[in-house]
Amino acid sequence: MNKFMLLTLGLLANTAADAADNMHFSGTLRAHACTLHPDDRDIQIDFAQIGSRDLYLNGGTADQAFNIRLQNCNLQVASTVEVTFMGNQSANVPGALALDASSTAAGFAITLKDTNRQSLKLGDASSSPLTSPDATLRFYHRLQVEPDALINNGIVPGNFSASGTFALFYP
């Protein structure tokens, strides 16, 4: 039995050694496009205190701006940047960021908008031109009341938080 195992192992070793290259890797290494401003690696947005009455009256809060700043952009490498926001999507406000499970407040979600205040759904890319080495990308956020919560007085006051990420892509 030991002779059989040695013979089999010897055949496998010879087969692997005699095989031609059957894996090839290739790609393109591009030059660095832009650097994310160090203060924008972790963007903190504080809604402060909001009255539920205001949410019922307006269906949400007013749009509030926030920025993502890019530095040292190499315009010979990239002329545009695509930003994609990701996170847990609300079950009741399609495309919006859901509140974290630890939130005691309920009945609303966080929506995002591009620089033209057009709605952005989580997972969709927003494209912006790069025209100078330093660029500020402007976006907007707001609380959006869930349709059922608005009809059924279902907004629950309390603390809330939500978290997500954004990715930058230079096509």
Side-chain angles (χ1 to χ4, degrees), residues 92-110:
N92 299 312
V93 182
L97 187 62
L99 301 181
D100 291 337
S102 62
S103 297
T104 56
F108 55 91
I110 298 171

Side-chain angles (χ1 to χ4, degrees), residues 110-132:
I110 298 171
T111 59
L112 300 169
K113 296 181 179 184
D114 66 13
T115 192
N116 298 316
R117 296 187 184 207
Q118 298 299 310
S119 293
L120 285 175
K121 292 183 177 182
L122 294 177
D124 287 352
S126 173
S127 185
S128 298
L130 294 173
T131 57
S132 68

Side-chain angles (χ1 to χ4, degrees), residues 132-166:
S132 68
D134 293 332
T136 300
L137 310 176
R138 181 167 294 254
F139 296 95
Y140 295 87
H141 62 81
R142 76 184 296 256
L143 296 184
Q144 176 68 46
V145 178
E146 297 171 354
D148 287 345
L150 193 58
I151 294 168
N152 300 320
N153 292 329
I155 297 173
V156 177
N159 294 321
F160 67 92
S161 64
S163 56
T165 59
F166 65 85

